[in-house]
Coordinates of all heavy atoms in Angstrom, one line a residue:
M1 N 17.3 4.8 -31.5 CA 16.4 5.2 -30.4 C 16.7 4.3 -29.1 O 16.7 3.2 -29.3 CB 15.0 5.1 -30.8 CG 13.9 5.7 -29.7 SD 14.2 7.6 -29.6 CE 13.2 7.7 -28.2
I2 N 17.1 5.0 -28.0 CA 17.3 4.2 -26.9 C 16.1 3.9 -26.1 O 15.1 4.8 -25.8 CB 18.3 5.1 -25.9 CG1 19.6 5.3 -26.7 CG2 18.4 4.4 -24.6 CD1 20.3 4.0 -27.0
E3 N 15.9 2.7 -25.7 CA 14.7 2.3 -25.0 C 14.9 2.3 -23.5 O 16.0 2.4 -23.0 CB 14.4 0.7 -25.2 CG 14.2 0.5 -26.9 CD 13.0 1.0 -27.4 OE1 12.0 1.2 -26.6 OE2 13.0 1.2 -28.6
K4 N 13.8 2.5 -22.7 CA 13.9 2.6 -21.3 C 14.4 1.3 -20.6 O 14.9 1.2 -19.5 CB 12.5 3.0 -20.7 CG 12.0 4.4 -21.0 CD 11.8 5.1 -19.7 CE 11.2 6.5 -19.9 NZ 12.2 7.5 -20.1
N5 N 14.3 0.2 -21.4 CA 14.9 -1.0 -20.9 C 16.2 -1.4 -21.5 O 16.7 -2.6 -21.5 CB 13.9 -2.2 -21.1 CG 13.6 -2.5 -22.5 OD1 14.1 -1.7 -23.4 ND2 12.8 -3.4 -22.9
D6 N 16.9 -0.4 -22.0 CA 18.2 -0.7 -22.5 C 19.1 -1.4 -21.4 O 19.0 -1.0 -20.3 CB 18.9 0.8 -23.0 CG 20.2 0.5 -23.7 OD1 21.3 0.3 -22.9 OD2 20.2 0.6 -24.8
W7 N 19.9 -2.4 -21.8 CA 20.6 -3.1 -20.8 C 21.6 -2.3 -20.0 O 22.1 -2.7 -19.0 CB 21.5 -4.3 -21.5 CG 22.5 -3.7 -22.4 CD1 22.4 -3.4 -23.8 CD2 23.9 -3.5 -22.1 NE1 23.7 -3.0 -24.2 CE2 24.6 -3.1 -23.3 CE3 24.7 -3.8 -20.9 CZ2 25.9 -2.7 -23.2 CZ3 26.0 -3.3 -21.0 CH2 26.7 -2.9 -22.1
R8 N 21.9 -1.1 -20.5 CA 23.0 -0.3 -19.8 C 22.3 0.5 -18.7 O 23.0 1.1 -17.8 CB 23.7 0.6 -20.7 CG 24.5 -0.1 -21.7 CD 25.1 0.9 -22.9 NE 23.9 1.2 -23.6 CZ 24.1 1.9 -24.8 NH1 25.3 2.4 -25.2 NH2 23.0 2.2 -25.5
L9 N 21.0 0.6 -18.6 CA 20.3 1.4 -17.6 C 20.1 0.6 -16.4 O 19.5 -0.5 -16.4 CB 18.9 1.8 -18.2 CG 19.0 2.9 -19.3 CD1 17.6 3.2 -19.8 CD2 19.6 4.2 -18.7
M10 N 20.7 1.0 -15.3 CA 20.6 0.4 -13.9 C 20.3 1.3 -12.9 O 21.0 1.4 -11.9 CB 22.0 -0.3 -13.8 CG 22.2 -1.5 -14.6 SD 23.9 -2.2 -14.8 CE 24.7 -0.8 -15.7
G11 N 19.4 2.3 -13.1 CA 19.1 3.3 -12.1 C 19.8 4.4 -12.0 O 19.9 5.2 -11.0
Q12 N 20.8 4.7 -13.1 CA 21.5 5.9 -13.0 C 20.8 7.1 -13.0 O 21.4 8.3 -12.6 CB 22.5 5.9 -14.3 CG 23.5 4.7 -14.3 CD 22.9 3.6 -15.1 OE1 21.8 3.4 -15.3 NE2 23.8 2.8 -15.7
E13 N 19.5 7.2 -13.4 CA 18.7 8.5 -13.4 C 18.6 9.0 -12.1 O 18.4 10.1 -11.9 CB 17.4 8.3 -14.2 CG 16.5 7.4 -13.3 CD 16.5 5.9 -14.0 OE1 17.7 5.5 -14.4 OE2 15.5 5.2 -13.8
G14 N 18.7 8.1 -11.0 CA 18.6 8.5 -9.6 C 19.6 9.5 -9.2 O 19.5 10.3 -8.4
Y15 N 20.8 9.4 -9.9 CA 21.9 10.4 -9.4 C 22.6 11.0 -10.6 O 23.5 11.9 -10.4 CB 23.0 9.5 -8.7 CG 23.6 8.3 -9.3 CD1 24.8 8.4 -9.9 CD2 22.9 7.1 -9.3 CE1 25.3 7.3 -10.6 CE2 23.4 6.0 -9.9 CZ 24.6 6.1 -10.6 OH 25.0 4.9 -11.2
L16 N 22.3 10.7 -11.9 CA 22.9 11.4 -13.1 C 21.9 12.2 -13.8 O 22.3 12.8 -14.7 CB 23.5 10.4 -13.9 CG 24.8 9.7 -13.4 CD1 25.3 8.6 -14.3 CD2 25.8 10.7 -13.1
K17 N 20.6 12.2 -13.5 CA 19.7 13.0 -14.3 C 19.9 14.4 -14.2 O 20.0 15.0 -13.0 CB 18.3 12.6 -13.8 CG 17.1 13.3 -14.7 CD 16.6 12.4 -15.6 CE 15.7 13.2 -16.6 NZ 14.3 12.6 -16.5
G18 N 20.1 15.2 -15.3 CA 20.2 16.5 -15.2 C 21.5 17.1 -14.7 O 21.7 18.3 -14.5
V19 N 22.6 16.3 -14.5 CA 23.8 16.8 -13.9 C 24.7 17.5 -15.1 O 24.4 17.3 -16.2 CB 24.6 15.7 -13.2 CG1 23.8 15.0 -12.1 CG2 25.0 14.7 -14.2
T20 N 25.6 18.2 -14.5 CA 26.6 18.8 -15.5 C 27.9 17.9 -15.6 O 28.3 17.4 -14.6 CB 27.1 20.2 -14.9 OG1 25.9 21.0 -14.9 CG2 28.1 20.8 -15.9
L21 N 28.2 17.7 -16.8 CA 29.3 16.8 -17.1 C 30.4 17.7 -17.8 O 30.1 18.7 -18.3 CB 28.9 15.7 -18.1 CG 27.8 14.8 -17.6 CD1 27.6 13.8 -18.7 CD2 28.2 13.9 -16.3
K22 N 31.6 17.2 -17.8 CA 32.7 17.8 -18.5 C 33.4 16.7 -19.3 O 33.5 15.6 -18.9 CB 33.7 18.6 -17.6 CG 34.4 17.8 -16.6 CD 35.1 18.6 -15.7 CE 35.9 17.8 -14.6 NZ 37.0 17.5 -14.9
Y23 N 34.1 17.3 -20.4 CA 34.8 16.3 -21.3 C 36.3 16.5 -21.0 O 36.8 17.6 -21.0 CB 34.5 16.6 -22.8 CG 35.1 15.5 -23.6 CD1 34.5 14.4 -23.9 CD2 36.4 15.7 -24.2 CE1 35.0 13.4 -24.7 CE2 36.9 14.7 -25.0 CZ 36.2 13.6 -25.3 OH 36.8 12.6 -26.0
D24 N 37.0 15.4 -20.7 CA 38.4 15.6 -20.3 C 39.1 14.3 -20.4 O 38.6 13.2 -20.6 CB 38.4 16.0 -18.8 CG 39.6 16.9 -18.6 OD1 40.6 16.9 -19.4 OD2 39.7 17.6 -17.5
Q25 N 40.4 14.4 -20.4 CA 41.3 13.1 -20.2 C 41.0 12.5 -18.9 O 40.7 13.1 -18.0 CB 42.8 13.6 -20.1 CG 43.3 14.3 -21.4 CD 43.8 13.3 -22.4 OE1 44.2 12.2 -22.1 NE2 43.7 13.7 -23.6
Y26 N 41.1 11.1 -19.0 CA 40.9 10.4 -17.7 C 42.0 10.7 -16.8 O 43.2 10.7 -17.2 CB 40.8 8.9 -18.0 CG 40.6 8.2 -16.7 CD1 39.5 8.2 -16.0 CD2 41.6 7.4 -16.1 CE1 39.3 7.5 -14.9 CE2 41.6 6.7 -15.1 CZ 40.3 6.7 -14.4 OH 40.2 6.2 -13.2
R27 N 41.7 11.0 -15.6 CA 42.8 11.2 -14.5 C 42.6 10.3 -13.4 O 41.6 9.9 -13.1 CB 42.8 12.7 -14.1 CG 43.5 13.6 -15.0 CD 43.7 14.9 -14.2 NE 42.5 15.6 -14.0 CZ 42.0 16.5 -14.9 NH1 42.7 16.7 -16.0 NH2 40.9 17.1 -14.7
Q28 N 43.7 10.1 -12.7 CA 43.6 9.1 -11.5 C 42.9 9.8 -10.3 O 43.3 10.9 -9.9 CB 45.0 8.9 -11.1 CG 45.1 7.7 -10.1 CD 46.5 7.2 -9.9 OE1 47.4 7.9 -10.3 NE2 46.6 6.1 -9.3
Y29 N 41.8 9.2 -9.9 CA 41.0 9.8 -8.8 C 41.8 9.9 -7.5 O 41.7 10.8 -6.8 CB 39.7 9.0 -8.8 CG 38.7 9.5 -7.8 CD1 38.0 10.7 -8.1 CD2 38.3 8.9 -6.6 CE1 37.2 11.4 -7.3 CE2 37.5 9.5 -5.8 CZ 36.9 10.7 -6.1 OH 35.9 11.1 -5.2
S30 N 42.5 8.8 -7.2 CA 43.3 8.8 -6.0 C 44.4 7.8 -6.1 O 44.4 7.0 -7.0 CB 42.4 8.3 -4.7 OG 42.1 7.1 -4.9
E31 N 45.3 7.8 -5.2 CA 46.5 7.1 -5.3 C 46.2 5.6 -5.5 O 47.0 4.9 -6.3 CB 47.3 7.2 -4.0 CG 48.0 8.6 -3.7 CD 49.4 8.5 -4.2 OE1 50.2 7.6 -3.9 OE2 49.9 9.4 -5.0
D32 N 45.3 5.0 -4.8 CA 45.2 3.5 -4.9 C 44.0 3.2 -5.9 O 43.3 2.3 -5.7 CB 44.9 3.0 -3.6 CG 43.9 3.7 -2.8 OD1 43.3 4.7 -3.4 OD2 43.5 3.3 -1.6
W33 N 43.8 4.0 -6.9 CA 42.7 3.9 -7.8 C 43.2 4.0 -9.2 O 43.5 5.1 -9.5 CB 41.6 4.9 -7.5 CG 40.1 4.6 -8.0 CD1 39.8 5.3 -9.1 CD2 39.2 3.8 -7.5 NE1 38.5 4.7 -9.3 CE2 38.1 3.9 -8.4 CE3 39.1 2.9 -6.4 CZ2 36.9 3.1 -8.2 CZ3 38.0 2.2 -6.2 CH2 36.9 2.3 -7.1
D34 N 43.3 2.9 -10.0 CA 44.0 3.2 -11.3 C 43.1 3.1 -12.5 O 43.6 3.2 -13.6 CB 45.2 2.3 -11.4 CG 44.7 0.7 -11.5 OD1 43.6 0.5 -11.4 OD2 45.6 -0.1 -11.7
H35 N 41.8 2.9 -12.4 CA 40.9 2.8 -13.6 C 39.5 3.1 -13.0 O 39.2 3.0 -11.9 CB 41.1 1.6 -14.3 CG 40.5 0.3 -13.5 ND1 41.1 -0.2 -12.5 CD2 39.2 -0.2 -13.6 CE1 40.3 -1.3 -12.0 NE2 39.3 -1.2 -12.7
D36 N 38.7 3.3 -14.0 CA 37.2 3.5 -13.8 C 36.5 2.8 -15.0 O 37.1 2.4 -15.9 CB 36.8 4.9 -13.9 CG 36.8 5.5 -12.3 OD1 36.0 5.1 -11.5 OD2 37.6 6.4 -12.1
H37 N 35.2 2.5 -14.8 CA 34.4 2.0 -15.9 C 33.4 3.0 -16.1 O 32.8 3.7 -15.4 CB 33.8 0.7 -15.4 CG 34.9 -0.3 -15.1 ND1 35.3 -1.1 -16.2 CD2 35.5 -0.8 -14.0 CE1 36.3 -2.1 -15.6 NE2 36.3 -1.7 -14.4
C38 N 33.0 3.0 -17.5 CA 31.8 3.8 -18.0 C 30.6 3.4 -17.1 O 30.3 2.2 -16.9 CB 31.6 3.5 -19.4 SG 30.0 4.2 -19.9
E39 N 29.9 4.4 -16.6 CA 28.8 4.2 -15.6 C 27.7 3.4 -16.3 O 26.9 2.8 -15.7 CB 28.3 5.5 -15.1 CG 27.4 5.4 -14.0 CD 28.2 5.1 -12.7 OE1 29.4 4.9 -12.7 OE2 27.5 4.8 -11.7
F40 N 27.7 3.4 -17.7 CA 26.6 2.7 -18.3 C 27.0 1.3 -19.0 O 26.5 0.3 -18.6 CB 26.0 3.6 -19.4 CG 25.3 4.8 -18.9 CD1 26.0 5.9 -18.5 CD2 23.9 4.8 -18.7 CE1 25.3 7.0 -18.0 CE2 23.3 5.8 -18.2 CZ 24.0 7.0 -17.8
C41 N 28.0 1.3 -19.8 CA 28.4 0.2 -20.6 C 29.5 -0.7 -19.8 O 29.8 -1.8 -20.3 CB 28.7 0.4 -22.0 SG 30.3 1.3 -22.1
G42 N 30.3 0.0 -19.0 CA 31.3 -0.7 -18.4 C 32.7 -0.6 -19.0 O 33.7 -1.3 -18.6
E43 N 32.8 0.0 -20.1 CA 34.1 0.2 -20.8 C 35.1 0.8 -19.8 O 34.8 1.6 -19.0 CB 34.0 1.1 -22.0 CG 33.4 0.5 -23.3 CD 34.5 -0.5 -24.0 OE1 35.6 0.0 -24.1 OE2 34.0 -1.6 -24.4
K44 N 36.3 0.4 -20.0 CA 37.3 0.7 -19.1 C 38.1 1.9 -19.4 O 38.6 2.2 -20.5 CB 38.4 -0.4 -18.9 CG 39.2 -0.4 -17.7 CD 40.1 -1.7 -17.6 CE 41.0 -1.7 -16.4 NZ 41.8 -3.0 -16.3
F45 N 38.2 2.9 -18.5 CA 39.0 4.1 -18.6 C 40.4 3.8 -17.8 O 40.3 3.5 -16.6 CB 38.3 5.2 -18.0 CG 37.2 5.8 -18.6 CD1 35.9 5.5 -18.5 CD2 37.4 6.8 -19.7 CE1 34.8 5.9 -19.2 CE2 36.3 7.3 -20.4 CZ 35.1 6.9 -20.1
T46 N 41.5 4.2 -18.4 CA 42.7 4.1 -17.7 C 43.6 5.2 -18.1 O 43.3 5.8 -19.2 CB 43.6 2.8 -18.0 OG1 43.8 2.8 -19.5 CG2 42.7 1.6 -17.6
F47 N 44.7 5.5 -17.5 CA 45.6 6.6 -18.0 C 46.9 5.9 -18.5 O 47.8 6.6 -18.7 CB 45.9 7.6 -16.8 CG 46.2 6.9 -15.5 CD1 47.5 6.4 -15.2 CD2 45.3 6.7 -14.5 CE1 47.9 5.9 -14.0 CE2 45.6 6.1 -13.3 CZ 46.8 5.6 -13.1
D48 N 46.9 4.6 -18.7 CA 48.1 4.0 -19.3 C 47.9 4.2 -20.9 O 47.0 4.9 -21.3 CB 48.3 2.6 -18.9 CG 47.1 1.8 -19.4 OD1 46.3 2.2 -20.3 OD2 46.8 0.7 -18.7
E49 N 48.8 3.6 -21.6 CA 48.7 3.7 -23.1 C 48.1 2.7 -23.7 O 48.0 2.6 -25.0 CB 50.2 3.8 -23.6 CG 51.2 4.9 -23.0 CD 50.8 6.2 -23.6 OE1 50.8 6.4 -24.8 OE2 50.4 7.1 -22.8
N50 N 47.4 1.7 -23.0 CA 46.8 0.6 -23.6 C 45.7 1.1 -24.6 O 44.7 1.7 -24.1 CB 46.2 -0.2 -22.6 CG 45.7 -1.6 -23.1 OD1 45.3 -1.6 -24.2 ND2 45.6 -2.5 -22.2
P51 N 45.8 0.8 -25.9 CA 44.9 1.2 -26.9 C 43.4 0.6 -26.7 O 42.5 1.1 -27.3 CB 45.3 0.9 -28.1 CG 46.4 -0.2 -27.9 CD 46.9 0.0 -26.6
E52 N 43.4 -0.5 -26.0 CA 42.1 -1.2 -25.8 C 41.2 -0.4 -24.8 O 40.1 -0.6 -24.7 CB 42.4 -2.6 -25.3 CG 42.9 -3.5 -26.2 CD 43.0 -4.9 -25.8 OE1 42.5 -5.2 -24.7 OE2 43.7 -5.7 -26.4
N53 N 41.8 0.4 -24.0 CA 41.0 1.2 -23.0 C 40.8 2.6 -23.5 O 41.3 3.1 -24.4 CB 41.8 1.2 -21.7 CG 42.1 -0.1 -21.1 OD1 41.3 -1.0 -21.4 ND2 43.3 -0.3 -20.6
L54 N 39.8 3.2 -22.8 CA 39.4 4.6 -23.1 C 40.4 5.6 -22.2 O 40.8 5.1 -21.1 CB 38.0 4.8 -22.6 CG 37.0 4.0 -23.4 CD1 35.6 4.2 -22.8 CD2 37.0 4.2 -24.8
H55 N 40.7 6.7 -22.8 CA 41.6 7.6 -22.1 C 40.9 9.0 -21.9 O 41.5 9.9 -21.3 CB 42.9 7.8 -22.8 CG 43.5 6.4 -23.1 ND1 44.0 5.7 -22.0 CD2 43.7 5.7 -24.2 CE1 44.5 4.5 -22.6 NE2 44.3 4.5 -23.9
E56 N 39.8 9.2 -22.5 CA 39.0 10.4 -22.3 C 37.6 10.1 -22.4 O 37.2 9.2 -23.1 CB 39.6 11.6 -23.2 CG 39.4 11.2 -24.6 CD 40.0 12.2 -25.6 OE1 41.0 12.8 -25.2 OE2 39.5 12.4 -26.6
G57 N 36.8 11.1 -21.8 CA 35.4 10.8 -21.9 C 34.7 12.0 -21.0 O 35.3 13.0 -20.7
Y58 N 33.4 11.6 -20.7 CA 32.7 12.6 -19.9 C 32.7 12.2 -18.5 O 32.6 11.0 -18.3 CB 31.2 12.7 -20.4 CG 31.1 13.4 -21.8 CD1 31.3 12.7 -23.0 CD2 31.0 14.7 -22.0 CE1 31.3 13.2 -24.3 CE2 31.0 15.4 -23.1 CZ 31.0 14.6 -24.3 OH 31.0 15.2 -25.5
S59 N 32.8 13.1 -17.6 CA 32.8 12.8 -16.2 C 31.9 13.8 -15.5 O 31.7 15.0 -16.0 CB 34.2 12.8 -15.6 OG 34.6 14.1 -15.4
T60 N 31.5 13.5 -14.3 CA 30.8 14.4 -13.4 C 31.9 15.5 -13.0 O 33.2 15.2 -13.0 CB 30.2 13.8 -12.2 OG1 31.2 12.9 -11.6 CG2 29.1 12.9 -12.6
L61 N 31.6 16.6 -12.4 CA 32.6 17.6 -12.1 C 33.6 17.2 -11.1 O 34.7 17.7 -11.0 CB 31.8 18.9 -11.7 CG 31.0 19.5 -12.8 CD1 30.3 20.9 -12.4 CD2 31.8 19.7 -14.1
D62 N 33.1 16.2 -10.2 CA 34.1 15.7 -9.2 C 35.0 14.5 -9.8 O 35.8 13.9 -9.0 CB 33.4 15.2 -8.0 CG 32.3 14.1 -8.2 OD1 32.3 13.7 -9.3 OD2 31.6 13.8 -7.4
E63 N 34.7 14.2 -11.0 CA 35.5 13.2 -11.7 C 35.4 11.9 -11.0 O 36.1 10.9 -11.2 CB 36.9 13.6 -11.8 CG 37.2 14.8 -12.6 CD 38.7 15.2 -12.8 OE1 39.6 14.3 -12.6 OE2 39.0 16.3 -13.2
Y64 N 34.3 11.7 -10.4 CA 34.0 10.4 -9.7 C 33.3 9.4 -10.6 O 33.5 8.2 -10.6 CB 33.2 10.7 -8.4 CG 32.9 9.4 -7.6 CD1 34.1 8.9 -6.9 CD2 31.8 8.7 -7.5 CE1 33.9 7.7 -6.1 CE2 31.6 7.6 -6.8 CZ 32.7 7.2 -6.1 OH 32.5 6.0 -5.3
T65 N 32.4 9.9 -11.5 CA 31.6 9.0 -12.4 C 32.1 9.4 -13.8 O 32.1 10.5 -14.2 CB 30.2 9.3 -12.2 OG1 29.8 9.0 -10.9 CG2 29.3 8.5 -13.2
W66 N 32.4 8.2 -14.6 CA 32.7 8.4 -16.0 C 31.7 7.9 -17.0 O 31.3 6.9 -16.7 CB 34.1 7.9 -16.2 CG 35.2 8.7 -15.5 CD1 35.5 8.8 -14.2 CD2 36.1 9.7 -16.1 NE1 36.5 9.7 -13.9 CE2 36.8 10.3 -15.1 CE3 36.2 10.2 -17.4 CZ2 37.7 11.4 -15.4 CZ3 37.1 11.2 -17.8 CH2 37.8 11.8 -16.7
I67 N 31.6 8.5 -18.1 CA 30.7 8.1 -19.1 C 31.4 8.1 -20.5 O 32.0 9.2 -20.8 CB 29.5 8.9 -19.1 CG1 28.8 8.9 -17.7 CG2 28.5 8.5 -20.3 CD1 27.8 10.0 -17.6
C68 N 31.4 7.0 -21.2 CA 32.1 7.1 -22.5 C 31.3 7.9 -23.5 O 30.2 8.1 -23.4 CB 32.4 5.6 -23.0 SG 30.9 4.7 -23.6
N69 N 32.0 8.1 -24.6 CA 31.5 9.0 -25.7 C 30.2 8.4 -26.3 O 29.2 9.0 -26.5 CB 32.5 9.2 -26.8 CG 33.6 10.1 -26.4 OD1 33.6 10.6 -25.3 ND2 34.6 10.1 -27.3
N70 N 30.2 7.1 -26.4 CA 29.1 6.3 -27.0 C 27.9 6.4 -26.1 O 26.7 6.8 -26.6 CB 29.5 4.9 -27.2 CG 28.7 4.1 -28.1 OD1 28.1 4.9 -29.0 ND2 28.6 2.8 -28.0
C71 N 28.1 6.2 -24.9 CA 26.9 6.2 -24.0 C 26.4 7.7 -23.8 O 25.2 7.9 -23.7 CB 27.2 5.7 -22.6 SG 27.5 3.9 -22.8
F72 N 27.4 8.6 -23.8 CA 27.0 10.0 -23.7 C 26.1 10.4 -24.8 O 24.9 11.0 -24.6 CB 28.2 11.0 -23.7 CG 27.9 12.3 -23.7 CD1 27.6 13.1 -22.5 CD2 27.8 13.1 -24.8 CE1 27.2 14.3 -22.5 CE2 27.4 14.5 -24.8 CZ 27.1 15.1 -23.7
D73 N 26.4 10.0 -26.1 CA 25.6 10.2 -27.1 C 24.2 9.6 -27.1 O 23.2 10.2 -27.4 CB 26.2 9.9 -28.4 CG 27.4 10.8 -28.8 OD1 27.4 11.9 -28.4 OD2 28.2 10.3 -29.7
D74 N 24.2 8.3 -26.6 CA 22.9 7.6 -26.5 C 22.0 8.1 -25.5 O 20.8 8.0 -25.6 CB 23.3 6.2 -26.2 CG 23.8 5.4 -27.4 OD1 23.8 6.0 -28.5 OD2 24.3 4.3 -27.3
F75 N 22.6 8.6 -24.4 CA 21.7 8.9 -23.2 C 21.6 10.4 -22.9 O 20.8 10.8 -21.9 CB 22.3 8.2 -22.0 CG 22.0 6.7 -22.1 CD1 23.2 5.9 -22.1 CD2 20.9 6.1 -22.1 CE1 23.1 4.5 -22.2 CE2 20.8 4.7 -22.3 CZ 21.9 3.9 -22.3
R76 N 22.3 11.2 -23.7 CA 22.3 12.7 -23.2 C 20.9 13.3 -23.3 O 20.5 14.2 -22.4 CB 23.2 13.5 -24.1 CG 22.8 13.6 -25.6 CD 23.8 14.5 -26.3 NE 24.0 15.8 -25.7 CZ 24.8 16.7 -26.1 NH1 25.7 16.5 -27.1 NH2 24.9 17.9 -25.4
L77 N 20.0 12.9 -24.1 CA 18.7 13.5 -24.3 C 17.8 12.9 -23.1 O 17.2 13.6 -22.3 CB 17.9 13.2 -25.5 CG 18.5 13.9 -26.8 CD1 17.8 13.5 -28.1 CD2 18.5 15.4 -26.6
M78 N 17.9 11.6 -22.8 CA 17.1 11.0 -21.8 C 17.6 11.5 -20.3 O 16.7 11.8 -19.6 CB 17.4 9.5 -21.8 CG 16.6 8.6 -20.7 SD 17.1 6.9 -20.7 CE 16.4 6.4 -22.3
F79 N 18.8 11.9 -20.2 CA 19.4 12.3 -18.9 C 19.4 13.8 -18.9 O 19.8 14.3 -17.8 CB 20.7 11.6 -18.6 CG 20.6 10.3 -18.1 CD1 20.3 9.2 -19.0 CD2 20.6 10.0 -16.7 CE1 20.2 7.9 -18.5 CE2 20.5 8.7 -16.3 CZ 20.3 7.7 -17.1
E80 N 19.2 14.5 -19.9 CA 19.2 16.0 -20.0 C 20.5 16.6 -19.4 O 20.6 17.4 -18.6 CB 18.0 16.5 -19.1 CG 16.7 16.1 -19.8 CD 15.4 16.2 -18.9 OE1 15.6 17.0 -17.8 OE2 14.4 15.8 -19.2
W81 N 21.6 16.0 -19.7 CA 22.9 16.5 -19.3 C 23.2 17.8 -19.8 O 22.9 18.2 -21.0 CB 24.0 15.4 -19.7 CG 24.1 14.2 -19.0 CD1 23.6 14.1 -17.6 CD2 24.2 12.9 -19.5 NE1 23.7 12.7 -17.3 CE2 24.0 12.0 -18.4 CE3 24.5 12.4 -20.8 CZ2 24.2 10.6 -18.5 CZ3 24.7 11.1 -20.9 CH2 24.5 10.2 -19.8
K82 N 23.9 18.6 -18.9 CA 24.5 19.8 -19.4 C 26.0 19.6 -19.5 O 26.5 18.8 -18.7 CB 24.2 21.0 -18.4 CG 22.7 21.3 -18.3 CD 22.5 22.3 -17.3 CE 22.0 21.7 -16.0 NZ 20.8 20.9 -16.0
V83 N 26.8 20.2 -20.4 CA 28.1 20.0 -20.5 C 28.8 21.3 -20.2 O 28.6 22.4 -20.7 CB 28.5 19.5 -21.9 CG1 30.0 19.4 -22.1 CG2 27.9 18.3 -22.2
S84 N 29.8 21.3 -19.1 CA 30.6 22.4 -18.8 C 31.6 22.6 -19.9 O 32.2 21.8 -20.4 CB 31.2 22.1 -17.4 OG 32.2 23.1 -17.2
T85 N 31.8 23.9 -20.2 CA 32.8 24.3 -21.2 C 34.1 24.7 -20.6 O 35.1 25.2 -21.2 CB 32.2 25.4 -22.1 OG1 31.8 26.5 -21.4 CG2 31.1 24.8 -23.0
Q86 N 34.3 24.7 -19.3 CA 35.4 25.0 -18.6 C 36.5 23.9 -18.7 O 36.2 22.9 -18.6 CB 35.2 25.3 -17.1 CG 34.3 26.5 -17.0 CD 34.3 27.0 -15.5 OE1 34.6 26.2 -14.6 NE2 33.9 28.2 -15.3
Ligands
ZN101 ZN1 29.8 3.5 -22.1

């Protein structure tokens, strides 16, 4: 059970509550941007082969915000996320 004071919660409900997410490979957002971090726990997403990093997960439809599988499972009920099947 996730508590409201979970260390990963830092006001994300202000912009992630009820949004639609999609599951995909991590992609480069722009030329000078080579990684992202999970919006909740900070795990690193990259598109290299490094097995220590994440290479797929949930993102907002604009691929600006990324959420790892673990945090998705933990917070999906609290945040009422919808998942796009496209
Ligand atoms: Zn995470």
Side-chain angles (χ1 to χ4, degrees):
M1 187 67 191
I2 296 301
E3 306 287 340
K4 290 241 184 270
N5 62 358
D6 189 280
W7 66 272
R8 292 168 293 183
L9 289 172
M10 292 164 281
Q12 295 95 334
E13 65 269 27
Y15 55 98
L16 287 178
K17 182 100 188 239
V19 301
T20 300
L21 303 175
K22 64 191 179 82
Y23 189 82
D24 213 341
Q25 297 274 335
Y26 179 69
R27 276 193 291 267
Q28 194 168 13
Y29 184 70
S30 69
E31 288 264 313
D32 49 358
W33 194 261
D34 68 356
H35 71 278
D36 268 296
H37 295 276
C38 171
E39 195 69 8
F40 291 86
C41 70
E43 279 286 316
K44 193 173 181 182
F45 286 95
T46 63
F47 47 82
D48 60 23
E49 302 286 303
N50 189 337
E52 291 184 9
N53 298 328
L54 301 172
H55 307 292
E56 55 185 36
Y58 291 88
S59 74
T60 49
L61 297 183
D62 60 7
E63 302 185 11
Y64 187 73
T65 300
W66 287 80
I67 300 165
C68 75
N69 293 353
N70 198 25
C71 293
F72 176 83
D73 287 341
D74 285 350
F75 294 114
R76 67 177 304 175
L77 291 178
M78 183 185 290
F79 280 79
E80 300 168 9
W81 288 320
K82 295 174 265 303
V83 177
S84 169
T85 51
Q86 292 191 341

